[in-house]
Amino acid sequence: MIKRSILSLTSAAVLATGMHGVAHANDPADVVEYRQAVFQVTKNNFGPIADMLKGDIEYDQEAIKKMASVVEMMSTLVEGQFPEGTGPLETETNALMDIWDEPEAFGERIAEFEQTAVTLVEAANSGDKRQLAAAVKDVGASCKACHDDFRRDD
């Protein structure tokens, strides 16, 4: 089941990377759909890693390595996916206007996510569960901090 999920999610990730230029699309709804897909693929790969560490699902080191790599790849696709005209004033999105009003702060959150995702891959590849748990905590904190500051929760 996990392997099938990884295959599906990895396929989605590959498709998403092929759409990297969507931020330059004319339709703001396409941009929002793309960035939501990036975050969904991220969530669908990050969640099982945390679940394995908690013992909610069977621990699979190889699956963790693959899923961590997908999270890292997805982290690199966030930057540039919030162009002008794709905020809550122009389209349906949970993104807050603070993204466009505070671009440096938002950029710092993106950079933090990218760095924690790199650390997640390193921890996953190490096979050390304590290191992995710390990396999962850091990625989760990075996601939460960005959501707290830049995302409307409905």
Side-chain angles (χ1 to χ4, degrees), residues 64-112:
I64 287 173
K65 288 179 185 180
K66 290 175 184 176
M67 290 184 288
S69 292
V70 173
V71 170
E72 191 274 330
M73 179 181 64
M74 294 285 99
S75 76
T76 68
L77 299 179
V78 177
E79 186 176 15
Q81 300 308 320
F82 292 84
E84 291 293 331
T86 64
L89 301 177
E90 300 87 9
T91 189
E92 188 174 325
T93 179
N94 287 333
L96 296 175
M97 277 308 298
D98 293 346
I99 290 171
W100 294 271
D101 294 341
E102 302 171 28
E104 288 94 21
F106 184 61
E108 289 171 10
R109 291 285 190 233
I110 293 171
E112 181 181 322

mmCIF file of all heavy atoms in Angstrom, residues 64-112:
data_model
loop_
_atom_site.group_PDB
_atom_site.id
_atom_site.type_symbol
_atom_site.label_atom_id
_atom_site.label_comp_id
_atom_site.label_asym_id
_atom_site.label_seq_id
_atom_site.Cartn_x
_atom_site.Cartn_y
_atom_site.Cartn_z
ATOM 1 N N ILE A 64 10.574 5.956 3.386
ATOM 2 C CA ILE A 64 10.885 7.251 4.011
ATOM 3 C C ILE A 64 11.881 8.025 3.155
ATOM 4 O O ILE A 64 11.711 9.224 2.921
ATOM 5 C CB ILE A 64 11.400 7.059 5.452
ATOM 6 C CG1 ILE A 64 10.225 6.669 6.351
ATOM 7 C CG2 ILE A 64 12.099 8.310 5.968
ATOM 8 C CD1 ILE A 64 10.616 6.283 7.760
ATOM 9 N N LYS A 65 12.898 7.357 2.674
ATOM 10 C CA LYS A 65 13.893 8.024 1.822
ATOM 11 C C LYS A 65 13.229 8.626 0.577
ATOM 12 O O LYS A 65 13.508 9.766 0.197
ATOM 13 C CB LYS A 65 14.977 7.037 1.389
ATOM 14 C CG LYS A 65 15.923 6.631 2.471
ATOM 15 C CD LYS A 65 16.924 5.627 1.897
ATOM 16 C CE LYS A 65 17.849 5.064 2.926
ATOM 17 N NZ LYS A 65 18.796 4.091 2.341
ATOM 18 N N LYS A 66 12.373 7.840 -0.050
ATOM 19 C CA LYS A 66 11.704 8.308 -1.267
ATOM 20 C C LYS A 66 10.772 9.480 -0.970
ATOM 21 O O LYS A 66 10.760 10.485 -1.680
ATOM 22 C CB LYS A 66 10.939 7.166 -1.927
ATOM 23 C CG LYS A 66 11.838 6.130 -2.535
ATOM 24 C CD LYS A 66 11.052 4.951 -3.081
ATOM 25 C CE LYS A 66 11.987 3.873 -3.590
ATOM 26 N NZ LYS A 66 11.259 2.685 -4.025
ATOM 27 N N MET A 67 9.989 9.333 0.094
ATOM 28 C CA MET A 67 9.039 10.398 0.425
ATOM 29 C C MET A 67 9.755 11.673 0.852
ATOM 30 O O MET A 67 9.335 12.778 0.493
ATOM 31 C CB MET A 67 8.059 9.919 1.494
ATOM 32 C CG MET A 67 7.078 8.878 0.965
ATOM 33 S SD MET A 67 5.820 8.359 2.154
ATOM 34 C CE MET A 67 6.803 7.389 3.280
ATOM 35 N N ALA A 68 10.843 11.544 1.587
ATOM 36 C CA ALA A 68 11.618 12.726 1.980
ATOM 37 C C ALA A 68 12.163 13.442 0.748
ATOM 38 O O ALA A 68 12.151 14.681 0.678
ATOM 39 C CB ALA A 68 12.749 12.330 2.923
ATOM 40 N N SER A 69 12.593 12.671 -0.238
ATOM 41 C CA SER A 69 13.099 13.267 -1.488
ATOM 42 C C SER A 69 12.003 14.027 -2.220
ATOM 43 O O SER A 69 12.258 15.091 -2.794
ATOM 44 C CB SER A 69 13.679 12.185 -2.397
ATOM 45 O OG SER A 69 14.843 11.646 -1.826
ATOM 46 N N VAL A 70 10.798 13.495 -2.205
ATOM 47 C CA VAL A 70 9.679 14.196 -2.845
ATOM 48 C C VAL A 70 9.379 15.492 -2.091
ATOM 49 O O VAL A 70 9.173 16.537 -2.718
ATOM 50 C CB VAL A 70 8.423 13.300 -2.939
ATOM 51 C CG1 VAL A 70 7.226 14.086 -3.448
ATOM 52 C CG2 VAL A 70 8.694 12.100 -3.844
ATOM 53 N N VAL A 71 9.384 15.443 -0.769
ATOM 54 C CA VAL A 71 9.148 16.666 0.021
ATOM 55 C C VAL A 71 10.198 17.713 -0.334
ATOM 56 O O VAL A 71 9.874 18.883 -0.553
ATOM 57 C CB VAL A 71 9.158 16.363 1.540
ATOM 58 C CG1 VAL A 71 9.156 17.654 2.353
ATOM 59 C CG2 VAL A 71 7.967 15.482 1.919
ATOM 60 N N GLU A 72 11.442 17.287 -0.408
ATOM 61 C CA GLU A 72 12.520 18.227 -0.741
ATOM 62 C C GLU A 72 12.319 18.820 -2.133
ATOM 63 O O GLU A 72 12.456 20.030 -2.328
ATOM 64 C CB GLU A 72 13.882 17.523 -0.627
ATOM 65 C CG GLU A 72 15.065 18.465 -0.686
ATOM 66 C CD GLU A 72 15.528 18.785 -2.088
ATOM 67 O OE1 GLU A 72 15.373 17.919 -2.980
ATOM 68 O OE2 GLU A 72 16.031 19.896 -2.304
ATOM 69 N N MET A 73 11.978 17.977 -3.093
ATOM 70 C CA MET A 73 11.759 18.482 -4.444
ATOM 71 C C MET A 73 10.591 19.472 -4.468
ATOM 72 O O MET A 73 10.678 20.535 -5.070
ATOM 73 C CB MET A 73 11.470 17.329 -5.412
ATOM 74 C CG MET A 73 11.218 17.817 -6.841
ATOM 75 S SD MET A 73 10.834 16.486 -7.997
ATOM 76 C CE MET A 73 9.304 15.886 -7.342
ATOM 77 N N MET A 74 9.514 19.136 -3.780
ATOM 78 C CA MET A 74 8.346 20.021 -3.745
ATOM 79 C C MET A 74 8.695 21.364 -3.097
ATOM 80 O O MET A 74 8.201 22.404 -3.525
ATOM 81 C CB MET A 74 7.186 19.364 -2.985
ATOM 82 C CG MET A 74 6.602 18.136 -3.646
ATOM 83 S SD MET A 74 5.571 18.506 -5.076
ATOM 84 C CE MET A 74 6.678 18.199 -6.418
ATOM 85 N N SER A 75 9.577 21.342 -2.100
ATOM 86 C CA SER A 75 9.944 22.593 -1.432
ATOM 87 C C SER A 75 10.583 23.582 -2.408
ATOM 88 O O SER A 75 10.439 24.790 -2.238
ATOM 89 C CB SER A 75 10.888 22.327 -0.248
ATOM 90 O OG SER A 75 12.205 22.054 -0.663
ATOM 91 N N THR A 76 11.235 23.059 -3.433
ATOM 92 C CA THR A 76 11.887 23.940 -4.412
ATOM 93 C C THR A 76 10.901 24.526 -5.415
ATOM 94 O O THR A 76 11.261 25.418 -6.175
ATOM 95 C CB THR A 76 12.996 23.191 -5.179
ATOM 96 O OG1 THR A 76 12.408 22.196 -6.013
ATOM 97 C CG2 THR A 76 14.012 22.576 -4.227
ATOM 98 N N LEU A 77 9.677 24.016 -5.416
ATOM 99 C CA LEU A 77 8.688 24.491 -6.386
ATOM 100 C C LEU A 77 7.793 25.590 -5.839
ATOM 101 O O LEU A 77 6.960 26.128 -6.564
ATOM 102 C CB LEU A 77 7.817 23.316 -6.854
ATOM 103 C CG LEU A 77 8.557 22.180 -7.549
ATOM 104 C CD1 LEU A 77 7.577 21.084 -7.934
ATOM 105 C CD2 LEU A 77 9.316 22.679 -8.755
ATOM 106 N N VAL A 78 7.942 25.942 -4.570
ATOM 107 C CA VAL A 78 7.063 26.947 -3.962
ATOM 108 C C VAL A 78 7.436 28.352 -4.418
ATOM 109 O O VAL A 78 6.568 29.147 -4.786
ATOM 110 C CB VAL A 78 7.093 26.837 -2.420
ATOM 111 C CG1 VAL A 78 6.248 27.932 -1.782
ATOM 112 C CG2 VAL A 78 6.614 25.450 -1.983
ATOM 113 N N GLU A 79 8.723 28.644 -4.400
ATOM 114 C CA GLU A 79 9.164 29.988 -4.784
ATOM 115 C C GLU A 79 8.707 30.308 -6.211
ATOM 116 O O GLU A 79 8.811 29.484 -7.107
ATOM 117 C CB GLU A 79 10.684 30.092 -4.700
ATOM 118 C CG GLU A 79 11.183 31.487 -4.954
ATOM 119 C CD GLU A 79 12.691 31.614 -4.779
ATOM 120 O OE1 GLU A 79 13.393 30.587 -4.737
ATOM 121 O OE2 GLU A 79 13.148 32.755 -4.698
ATOM 122 N N GLY A 80 8.172 31.467 -6.389
ATOM 123 C CA GLY A 80 7.728 31.903 -7.706
ATOM 124 C C GLY A 80 6.298 31.533 -8.042
ATOM 125 O O GLY A 80 5.796 31.891 -9.106
ATOM 126 N N GLN A 81 5.623 30.820 -7.144
ATOM 127 C CA GLN A 81 4.255 30.384 -7.430
ATOM 128 C C GLN A 81 3.191 31.279 -6.803
ATOM 129 O O GLN A 81 2.023 30.902 -6.722
ATOM 130 C CB GLN A 81 4.062 28.936 -6.986
ATOM 131 C CG GLN A 81 4.988 27.961 -7.689
ATOM 132 C CD GLN A 81 4.949 28.080 -9.204
ATOM 133 O OE1 GLN A 81 3.894 28.266 -9.810
ATOM 134 N NE2 GLN A 81 6.105 28.017 -9.830
ATOM 135 N N PHE A 82 3.601 32.476 -6.406
ATOM 136 C CA PHE A 82 2.668 33.440 -5.824
ATOM 137 C C PHE A 82 2.823 34.787 -6.536
ATOM 138 O O PHE A 82 3.048 35.814 -5.897
ATOM 139 C CB PHE A 82 2.928 33.584 -4.311
ATOM 140 C CG PHE A 82 2.571 32.355 -3.533
ATOM 141 C CD1 PHE A 82 3.452 31.294 -3.414
ATOM 142 C CD2 PHE A 82 1.323 32.258 -2.919
ATOM 143 C CE1 PHE A 82 3.112 30.155 -2.694
ATOM 144 C CE2 PHE A 82 0.977 31.114 -2.207
ATOM 145 C CZ PHE A 82 1.878 30.072 -2.095
ATOM 146 N N PRO A 83 2.678 34.793 -7.861
ATOM 147 C CA PRO A 83 2.842 36.056 -8.584
ATOM 148 C C PRO A 83 1.674 37.008 -8.303
ATOM 149 O O PRO A 83 0.604 36.584 -7.847
ATOM 150 C CB PRO A 83 2.858 35.619 -10.052
ATOM 151 C CG PRO A 83 2.059 34.362 -10.072
ATOM 152 C CD PRO A 83 2.360 33.681 -8.762
ATOM 153 N N GLU A 84 1.906 38.272 -8.565
ATOM 154 C CA GLU A 84 0.837 39.265 -8.445
ATOM 155 C C GLU A 84 -0.365 38.780 -9.255
ATOM 156 O O GLU A 84 -0.213 38.166 -10.305
ATOM 157 C CB GLU A 84 1.309 40.627 -8.979
ATOM 158 C CG GLU A 84 2.366 41.290 -8.133
ATOM 159 C CD GLU A 84 1.871 41.732 -6.765
ATOM 160 O OE1 GLU A 84 0.672 42.046 -6.610
ATOM 161 O OE2 GLU A 84 2.701 41.750 -5.836
ATOM 162 N N GLY A 85 -1.541 39.041 -8.727
ATOM 163 C CA GLY A 85 -2.764 38.652 -9.418
ATOM 164 C C GLY A 85 -3.299 37.292 -9.034
ATOM 165 O O GLY A 85 -4.292 36.830 -9.591
ATOM 166 N N THR A 86 -2.614 36.616 -8.087
ATOM 167 C CA THR A 86 -3.084 35.289 -7.670
ATOM 168 C C THR A 86 -3.413 35.256 -6.184
ATOM 169 O O THR A 86 -3.427 34.195 -5.565
ATOM 170 C CB THR A 86 -2.042 34.193 -7.995
ATOM 171 O OG1 THR A 86 -0.854 34.422 -7.228
ATOM 172 C CG2 THR A 86 -1.733 34.157 -9.485
ATOM 173 N N GLY A 87 -3.696 36.412 -5.639
ATOM 174 C CA GLY A 87 -4.036 36.503 -4.223
ATOM 175 C C GLY A 87 -5.535 36.454 -3.997
ATOM 176 O O GLY A 87 -6.331 36.270 -4.930
ATOM 177 N N PRO A 88 -5.945 36.656 -2.754
ATOM 178 C CA PRO A 88 -7.360 36.535 -2.392
ATOM 179 C C PRO A 88 -8.256 37.623 -2.988
ATOM 180 O O PRO A 88 -9.474 37.451 -3.032
ATOM 181 C CB PRO A 88 -7.349 36.597 -0.865
ATOM 182 C CG PRO A 88 -6.074 37.280 -0.516
ATOM 183 C CD PRO A 88 -5.096 36.916 -1.592
ATOM 184 N N LEU A 89 -7.673 38.697 -3.463
ATOM 185 C CA LEU A 89 -8.481 39.742 -4.092
ATOM 186 C C LEU A 89 -8.846 39.378 -5.526
ATOM 187 O O LEU A 89 -9.834 39.877 -6.064
ATOM 188 C CB LEU A 89 -7.742 41.085 -4.071
ATOM 189 C CG LEU A 89 -7.368 41.620 -2.694
ATOM 190 C CD1 LEU A 89 -6.577 42.921 -2.826
ATOM 191 C CD2 LEU A 89 -8.600 41.814 -1.822
ATOM 192 N N GLU A 90 -8.049 38.503 -6.131
ATOM 193 C CA GLU A 90 -8.247 38.165 -7.537
ATOM 194 C C GLU A 90 -8.818 36.770 -7.782
ATOM 195 O O GLU A 90 -9.380 36.515 -8.848
ATOM 196 C CB GLU A 90 -6.914 38.265 -8.309
ATOM 197 C CG GLU A 90 -6.278 39.629 -8.292
ATOM 198 C CD GLU A 90 -5.374 39.868 -7.073
ATOM 199 O OE1 GLU A 90 -5.102 38.920 -6.318
ATOM 200 O OE2 GLU A 90 -4.959 41.013 -6.893
ATOM 201 N N THR A 91 -8.622 35.860 -6.850
ATOM 202 C CA THR A 91 -9.029 34.477 -7.076
ATOM 203 C C THR A 91 -9.341 33.799 -5.749
ATOM 204 O O THR A 91 -9.031 34.331 -4.694
ATOM 205 C CB THR A 91 -7.925 33.708 -7.843
ATOM 206 O OG1 THR A 91 -8.413 32.438 -8.222
ATOM 207 C CG2 THR A 91 -6.673 33.564 -7.038
ATOM 208 N N GLU A 92 -9.925 32.630 -5.824
ATOM 209 C CA GLU A 92 -10.230 31.878 -4.613
ATOM 210 C C GLU A 92 -8.963 31.179 -4.133
ATOM 211 O O GLU A 92 -8.410 30.322 -4.822
ATOM 212 C CB GLU A 92 -11.323 30.850 -4.895
ATOM 213 C CG GLU A 92 -11.828 30.168 -3.656
ATOM 214 C CD GLU A 92 -12.998 29.253 -3.930
ATOM 215 O OE1 GLU A 92 -13.823 29.574 -4.805
ATOM 216 O OE2 GLU A 92 -13.066 28.214 -3.271
ATOM 217 N N THR A 93 -8.505 31.564 -2.957
ATOM 218 C CA THR A 93 -7.283 31.009 -2.392
ATOM 219 C C THR A 93 -7.285 31.191 -0.877
ATOM 220 O O THR A 93 -7.938 32.114 -0.376
ATOM 221 C CB THR A 93 -6.025 31.688 -2.995
ATOM 222 O OG1 THR A 93 -4.861 31.128 -2.403
ATOM 223 C CG2 THR A 93 -6.026 33.195 -2.784
ATOM 224 N N ASN A 94 -6.577 30.341 -0.197
ATOM 225 C CA ASN A 94 -6.397 30.497 1.242
ATOM 226 C C ASN A 94 -5.169 31.337 1.567
ATOM 227 O O ASN A 94 -4.885 31.592 2.724
ATOM 228 C CB ASN A 94 -6.288 29.134 1.934
ATOM 229 C CG ASN A 94 -7.622 28.426 1.999
ATOM 230 O OD1 ASN A 94 -8.669 29.058 2.001
ATOM 231 N ND2 ASN A 94 -7.587 27.109 2.045
ATOM 232 N N ALA A 95 -4.437 31.733 0.543
ATOM 233 C CA ALA A 95 -3.265 32.583 0.743
ATOM 234 C C ALA A 95 -3.722 33.954 1.242
ATOM 235 O O ALA A 95 -4.693 34.513 0.747
ATOM 236 C CB ALA A 95 -2.492 32.730 -0.567
ATOM 237 N N LEU A 96 -3.016 34.471 2.225
ATOM 238 C CA LEU A 96 -3.321 35.799 2.753
ATOM 239 C C LEU A 96 -2.580 36.872 1.962
ATOM 240 O O LEU A 96 -1.503 36.628 1.411
ATOM 241 C CB LEU A 96 -2.909 35.891 4.228
ATOM 242 C CG LEU A 96 -3.649 34.972 5.201
ATOM 243 C CD1 LEU A 96 -3.040 35.090 6.598
ATOM 244 C CD2 LEU A 96 -5.134 35.319 5.240
ATOM 245 N N MET A 97 -3.116 38.060 1.942
ATOM 246 C CA MET A 97 -2.481 39.184 1.246
ATOM 247 C C MET A 97 -1.097 39.489 1.818
ATOM 248 O O MET A 97 -0.272 40.114 1.150
ATOM 249 C CB MET A 97 -3.366 40.436 1.305
ATOM 250 C CG MET A 97 -4.456 40.484 0.247
ATOM 251 S SD MET A 97 -3.880 40.224 -1.458
ATOM 252 C CE MET A 97 -2.761 41.608 -1.690
ATOM 253 N N ASP A 98 -0.837 39.043 3.037
ATOM 254 C CA ASP A 98 0.476 39.270 3.645
ATOM 255 C C ASP A 98 1.601 38.716 2.778
ATOM 256 O O ASP A 98 2.736 39.211 2.837
ATOM 257 C CB ASP A 98 0.542 38.641 5.037
ATOM 258 C CG ASP A 98 -0.380 39.329 6.027
ATOM 259 O OD1 ASP A 98 -0.863 40.445 5.738
ATOM 260 O OD2 ASP A 98 -0.629 38.749 7.102
ATOM 261 N N ILE A 99 1.326 37.708 1.973
ATOM 262 C CA ILE A 99 2.341 37.158 1.066
ATOM 263 C C ILE A 99 2.851 38.248 0.140
ATOM 264 O O ILE A 99 4.060 38.384 -0.081
ATOM 265 C CB ILE A 99 1.769 35.971 0.254
ATOM 266 C CG1 ILE A 99 1.557 34.776 1.178
ATOM 267 C CG2 ILE A 99 2.669 35.615 -0.933
ATOM 268 C CD1 ILE A 99 0.806 33.618 0.547
ATOM 269 N N TRP A 100 1.954 39.044 -0.393
ATOM 270 C CA TRP A 100 2.317 40.088 -1.340
ATOM 271 C C TRP A 100 2.699 41.382 -0.620
ATOM 272 O O TRP A 100 3.472 42.163 -1.147
ATOM 273 C CB TRP A 100 1.165 40.312 -2.328
ATOM 274 C CG TRP A 100 0.965 39.090 -3.176
ATOM 275 C CD1 TRP A 100 1.582 38.820 -4.367
ATOM 276 C CD2 TRP A 100 0.150 37.963 -2.883
ATOM 277 N NE1 TRP A 100 1.191 37.589 -4.829
ATOM 278 C CE2 TRP A 100 0.295 37.032 -3.932
ATOM 279 C CE3 TRP A 100 -0.713 37.628 -1.828
ATOM 280 C CZ2 TRP A 100 -0.365 35.812 -3.976
ATOM 281 C CZ3 TRP A 100 -1.374 36.403 -1.866
ATOM 282 C CH2 TRP A 100 -1.194 35.515 -2.926
ATOM 283 N N ASP A 101 2.170 41.582 0.578
ATOM 284 C CA ASP A 101 2.487 42.782 1.352
ATOM 285 C C ASP A 101 3.831 42.669 2.065
ATOM 286 O O ASP A 101 4.469 43.679 2.360
ATOM 287 C CB ASP A 101 1.397 43.052 2.407
ATOM 288 C CG ASP A 101 0.056 43.416 1.786
ATOM 289 O OD1 ASP A 101 0.024 43.809 0.588
ATOM 290 O OD2 ASP A 101 -0.969 43.282 2.489
ATOM 291 N N GLU A 102 4.252 41.449 2.362
ATOM 292 C CA GLU A 102 5.498 41.196 3.094
ATOM 293 C C GLU A 102 6.341 40.148 2.357
ATOM 294 O O GLU A 102 6.609 39.062 2.888
ATOM 295 C CB GLU A 102 5.185 40.708 4.508
ATOM 296 C CG GLU A 102 4.337 41.662 5.322
ATOM 297 C CD GLU A 102 3.875 41.051 6.638
ATOM 298 O OE1 GLU A 102 4.579 40.172 7.176
ATOM 299 O OE2 GLU A 102 2.814 41.456 7.115
ATOM 300 N N PRO A 103 6.777 40.462 1.128
ATOM 301 C CA PRO A 103 7.464 39.444 0.327
ATOM 302 C C PRO A 103 8.780 38.949 0.932
ATOM 303 O O PRO A 103 9.124 37.773 0.756
ATOM 304 C CB PRO A 103 7.697 40.138 -1.018
ATOM 305 C CG PRO A 103 7.607 41.599 -0.725
ATOM 306 C CD PRO A 103 6.657 41.734 0.415
ATOM 307 N N GLU A 104 9.504 39.814 1.655
ATOM 308 C CA GLU A 104 10.759 39.353 2.258
ATOM 309 C C GLU A 104 10.482 38.313 3.346
ATOM 310 O O GLU A 104 11.157 37.290 3.420
ATOM 311 C CB GLU A 104 11.567 40.517 2.847
ATOM 312 C CG GLU A 104 12.185 41.412 1.791
ATOM 313 C CD GLU A 104 11.302 42.612 1.475
ATOM 314 O OE1 GLU A 104 10.444 42.976 2.297
ATOM 315 O OE2 GLU A 104 11.476 43.175 0.383
ATOM 316 N N ALA A 105 9.489 38.586 4.182
ATOM 317 C CA ALA A 105 9.148 37.635 5.250
ATOM 318 C C ALA A 105 8.657 36.320 4.658
ATOM 319 O O ALA A 105 9.017 35.240 5.138
ATOM 320 C CB ALA A 105 8.088 38.237 6.179
ATOM 321 N N PHE A 106 7.848 36.409 3.606
ATOM 322 C CA PHE A 106 7.368 35.190 2.958
ATOM 323 C C PHE A 106 8.534 34.429 2.326
ATOM 324 O O PHE A 106 8.625 33.198 2.450
ATOM 325 C CB PHE A 106 6.305 35.524 1.912
ATOM 326 C CG PHE A 106 5.692 34.314 1.267
ATOM 327 C CD1 PHE A 106 5.009 33.374 2.015
ATOM 328 C CD2 PHE A 106 5.803 34.114 -0.102
ATOM 329 C CE1 PHE A 106 4.443 32.244 1.431
ATOM 330 C CE2 PHE A 106 5.235 32.994 -0.704
ATOM 331 C CZ PHE A 106 4.559 32.063 0.059
ATOM 332 N N GLY A 107 9.442 35.147 1.702
ATOM 333 C CA GLY A 107 10.624 34.514 1.115
ATOM 334 C C GLY A 107 11.473 33.801 2.148
ATOM 335 O O GLY A 107 12.041 32.733 1.881
ATOM 336 N N GLU A 108 11.561 34.394 3.343
ATOM 337 C CA GLU A 108 12.306 33.747 4.425
ATOM 338 C C GLU A 108 11.635 32.435 4.838
ATOM 339 O O GLU A 108 12.316 31.443 5.125
ATOM 340 C CB GLU A 108 12.422 34.682 5.623
ATOM 341 C CG GLU A 108 13.358 35.844 5.391
ATOM 342 C CD GLU A 108 13.312 36.889 6.504
ATOM 343 O OE1 GLU A 108 12.694 36.628 7.561
ATOM 344 O OE2 GLU A 108 13.891 37.970 6.296
ATOM 345 N N ARG A 109 10.314 32.419 4.869
ATOM 346 C CA ARG A 109 9.587 31.186 5.221
ATOM 347 C C ARG A 109 9.828 30.112 4.165
ATOM 348 O O ARG A 109 10.010 28.940 4.488
ATOM 349 C CB ARG A 109 8.091 31.456 5.373
ATOM 350 C CG ARG A 109 7.732 32.289 6.560
ATOM 351 C CD ARG A 109 7.831 31.478 7.837
ATOM 352 N NE ARG A 109 7.263 32.226 8.930
ATOM 353 C CZ ARG A 109 7.892 32.459 10.065
ATOM 354 N NH1 ARG A 109 9.099 31.993 10.266
ATOM 355 N NH2 ARG A 109 7.309 33.157 11.012
ATOM 356 N N ILE A 110 9.808 30.510 2.900
ATOM 357 C CA ILE A 110 10.068 29.546 1.827
ATOM 358 C C ILE A 110 11.481 28.983 1.956
ATOM 359 O O ILE A 110 11.690 27.768 1.855
ATOM 360 C CB ILE A 110 9.859 30.184 0.436
ATOM 361 C CG1 ILE A 110 8.386 30.512 0.225
ATOM 362 C CG2 ILE A 110 10.369 29.255 -0.665
ATOM 363 C CD1 ILE A 110 8.116 31.337 -1.019
ATOM 364 N N ALA A 111 12.440 29.851 2.191
ATOM 365 C CA ALA A 111 13.834 29.412 2.336
ATOM 366 C C ALA A 111 13.984 28.464 3.529
ATOM 367 O O ALA A 111 14.727 27.474 3.454
ATOM 368 C CB ALA A 111 14.760 30.620 2.489
ATOM 369 N N GLU A 112 13.273 28.756 4.613
ATOM 370 C CA GLU A 112 13.314 27.889 5.789
ATOM 371 C C GLU A 112 12.746 26.508 5.454
ATOM 372 O O GLU A 112 13.312 25.476 5.844
ATOM 373 C CB GLU A 112 12.515 28.520 6.920
ATOM 374 C CG GLU A 112 12.500 27.719 8.198
ATOM 375 C CD GLU A 112 11.663 28.382 9.283
ATOM 376 O OE1 GLU A 112 11.678 29.622 9.396
ATOM 377 O OE2 GLU A 112 10.966 27.638 10.007
#
